[in-house]
Amino acid sequence: MTRKTEKTDYTVQRQAALSGCRGLFLRPGGGHLLETADFAADGFVELLTRLVETAVPQQLSALPETGREIMPADLANELARKFDAGKFASRLLEALFWALTRNHVLPSALPPEPDEETEFLLEQAAAILNFPAALAAAVPQGAGNWSPGARAILRSIPPVTTGREAAERIAAGDPFAGGRAFRYLDGRFLPATLEKIRPVDHFFGFPSVRRIFHEHFRDFARGKECVPLLISSLPGHGKTQLTIAHALAHENLTLILAAAEMLEQPLEALIEALRQRPDRRFVVFFDDINPESLDWYTFRTNVGGTFSPPGNVLLAIAGNYEFPAEILSRGRSVAFPTFDDVRCQEMVEDFLKMNGIRHPNPNLISLVAAEYTEEFGQKRYTELSPRTLMRHLALYEHDQRRRRDAIQLSCGPMVTKPDAQLFYEFNIRLMRKLYGNEYIENLLKEKLRAME
């Protein structure tokens, strides 16, 4: 009698979980069948749903007659192979979190009295949460086709009693909890480890560029809808560092790092996933873009075309090349000026001011900049760029004797200046390598016209 009651209880719990899967994980397909609405490429939701569908009581200990029929144990064993007990629990909570937000229910911010639709969805989520423990209890001890790992993952999910308790548990599945920077990969948002990023007040020179960055990110952080920021410069000018620094400078912004290919077909899925999180504001950063190698159709459709990104999403796209006109018209362009001897000295001056010298001596500025170009000539640095200049200036930050010697030399009768021709030749070589000879010829023609 007890065994029959257990089977009956399990049957009821499985039916409830099956209903939950249909409501949260499945959607009408192109034909007459439902298809899995999965957000990730690892197959977790598909495997879990198939396990619920196949795990009828009579199949829990039976072996297939044909030898090839997929049984519940096969699906549970595959889940255990791909996800250990800890990962299984976190992936289930993440999947349920995604499913609820897709239905406009945010588990971490439920109203005091949820409406009937929300209560219904939470009950479905609770039924799915309760299924693993029910299945673990229903599998006979002597069923040898269930691996120890499969039994372990099923036991890793404690059951819940109410929809609100389920919501409190599922809130831990928020992929953005406990972090500020994430990578978007295969439909999932994974925590990103960033190299040391300078604070925004430790960027020097390029005042017009820094002003645009400051205004754009400030406005977005204050709740304004902002068009995409389209950033271009030669390599090493600080596009990546400056973008990340401004995103992290505002506590209410979450940074998403996305690969260049995400600007194509996956862009719609990425934007839709972020649209479901109106509680957060996102900066989606596409770095190192080559505009000519991309198909911009999806971007043009979703930005200023048929659709528009939600107001809580700011796209920032950076590359070493100029953006085509039809893309520039959909955003705000910020182009770094070429790094030359004048801008090198501007950066040195800003650096000295930040380090306590309110009115730097022009000779001191010139001397530090000249020393940098001399060390480039001696192959200490491989490029003339703000990136390597910052490495050079760091030597002064950590060497008091070097600072004292520079100040003494700047008071002498003769002070060297940075070689302007060295910058010119380096930039021409770099632009020829990146853009080709035709670009250089057109650039020279423009300069000749300006001289007429």
Side-chain angles (χ1 to χ4, degrees):
M1 185 67 178
T2 304
R3 185 62 180 168
K4 182 177 180 181
T5 302
E6 289 179 357
K7 288 185 177 180
T8 302
D9 289 344
Y10 169 72
T11 300
V12 171
Q13 290 176 301
R14 176 185 164 274
Q15 287 293 336
L18 184 59
S19 174
C21 287
R22 292 175 71 90
L24 296 178
F25 293 150
L26 302 180
R27 64 186 175 192
H32 300 288
L33 297 176
L34 295 175
E35 63 181 24
T36 305
D38 205 343
F39 67 100
D42 57 14
F44 178 85
V45 171
E46 173 68 18
L47 283 170
L48 178 65
T49 302
R50 291 178 66 189
L51 176 59
V52 177
E53 290 172 338
T54 60
V56 294
Q58 58 270 28
Q59 297 275 46
L60 298 185
S61 60
L63 289 174
E65 295 181 1
T66 64
R68 292 295 183 94
E69 181 185 350
I70 296 177
M71 305 297 285
D74 302 316
L75 296 165
N77 293 341
E78 180 65 13
L79 279 167
R81 277 189 288 268
K82 298 182 70 171
F83 312 96
D84 59 26
K87 288 183 180 178
F88 179 82
S90 63
R91 289 294 287 112
L92 178 56
L93 295 177
E94 184 181 356
L96 288 170
F97 191 97
W98 162 80
L100 289 173
T101 55
R102 192 169 66 96
N103 284 278
H104 313 293
V105 175
L106 186 60
S108 56
L110 289 179
E113 297 184 3
D115 57 30
E116 291 183 0
E117 181 69 18
T118 300
E119 291 281 8
F120 170 73
L121 293 168
L122 291 178
E123 288 174 4
Q124 289 191 319
I128 296 173
L129 270 180
N130 288 337
F131 175 74
L135 177 58
V139 174
Q141 291 297 323
N145 51 337
W146 292 77
S147 71
R151 294 176 184 270
I153 64 171
L154 296 177
R155 292 193 298 265
S156 69
I157 311 295
V160 296
T161 56
T162 65
R164 182 167 287 276
E165 184 183 349
E168 293 173 357
R169 182 89 58 80
I170 294 168
D174 184 352
F176 303 120
R180 295 283 312 283
F182 301 86
R183 295 190 184 278
Y184 184 67
L185 185 64
D186 293 333
R188 298 182 64 202
F189 297 96
L190 305 175
T193 301
L194 301 175
E195 296 181 3
K196 186 177 181 181
I197 303 297
R198 286 178 278 151
V200 292
D201 58 355
H202 280 56
F203 289 85
F204 311 120
F206 303 104
S208 61
V209 170
R210 288 158 54 204
R211 176 182 55 79
I212 293 175
F213 270 85
H214 171 75
E215 293 175 353
H216 211 71
F217 281 88
R218 178 202 62 197
D219 291 347
F220 181 67
R222 289 178 177 178
K224 295 183 179 179
E225 293 188 19
C226 292
V227 297
L229 196 61
L230 305 171
I231 312 155
S232 59
S233 79
L234 290 173
H237 279 47
K239 302 181 292 296
T240 301
Q241 283 261 340
L242 199 58
T243 303
I244 294 176
H246 276 83
L248 298 181
H250 300 276
E251 292 293 333
N252 65 328
L253 300 186
T254 299
L255 175 67
I256 308 296
L257 304 174
E261 57 268 21
M262 293 295 165
L263 275 170
E264 298 180 324
Q265 198 62 35
L267 181 62
E268 292 181 358
L270 170 57
I271 289 178
E272 188 56 32
L274 301 180
R275 191 190 304 274
Q276 307 305 326
R277 297 301 305 272
D279 59 310
R280 287 180 173 265
R281 301 188 69 75
F282 299 96
V283 175
V284 184
F285 183 35
F286 302 88
D287 196 13
D288 200 20
I289 299 300
N290 183 349
E292 292 186 358
S293 66
L294 289 175
D295 180 358
W296 291 95
Y297 173 78
T298 302
F299 178 85
R300 295 198 308 270
T301 301
N302 286 274
V303 179
T306 308
F307 306 100
S308 295
N312 66 326
V313 175
L314 168 64
L315 302 181
I317 308 173
N320 298 328
Y321 302 85
E322 296 178 356
F323 292 90
E326 66 270 21
I327 302 303
L328 287 174
S329 64
R330 299 167 190 270
R332 183 179 187 181
S333 174
V334 51
F336 283 72
T338 304
F339 183 63
D340 56 15
D341 59 310
V342 175
R343 294 186 177 89
C344 174
Q345 292 180 83
E346 287 177 351
M347 287 187 65
V348 171
E349 181 177 4
D350 287 349
F351 168 80
L352 294 173
K353 288 179 178 178
M354 191 204 72
N355 282 275
I357 304 178
R358 291 188 177 182
H359 304 288
N361 186 327
N363 286 347
L364 176 60
I365 297 170
S366 179
L367 185 145
V368 173
E371 184 186 78
Y372 163 66
T373 57
E374 288 172 5
E375 297 208 0
F376 167 79
Q378 296 171 8
K379 309 300 183 183
R380 181 184 180 95
Y381 305 117
T382 59
E383 63 182 18
L384 286 172
S385 70
R387 175 166 49 205
T388 55
L389 176 58
M390 288 304 303
R391 285 164 49 194
H392 182 75
L393 295 177
L395 301 175
Y396 287 89
E397 279 189 304
H398 304 107
D399 191 335
Q400 184 177 4
R401 180 179 178 181
R402 192 181 189 117
R403 293 197 300 270
R404 184 174 62 248
D405 291 347
I407 292 173
Q408 290 177 350
L409 288 172
S410 68
C411 297
M414 295 184 62
V415 176
T416 56
K417 294 185 176 182
D419 186 352
Q421 185 66 21
L422 195 65
F423 283 91
Y424 176 79
E425 292 175 354
F426 176 82
N427 287 327
I428 289 293
R429 288 197 305 271
L430 181 57
M431 286 187 284
R432 179 175 282 114
K433 181 179 180 180
L434 286 173
Y435 311 137
N437 289 326
E438 184 178 353
Y439 178 90
I440 301 299
E441 292 174 3
N442 292 334
L443 190 66
L444 294 175
K445 288 178 182 179
E446 290 177 6
K447 286 193 174 183
L448 289 173
R449 290 194 199 99
M451 294 173 62
E452 292 178 354

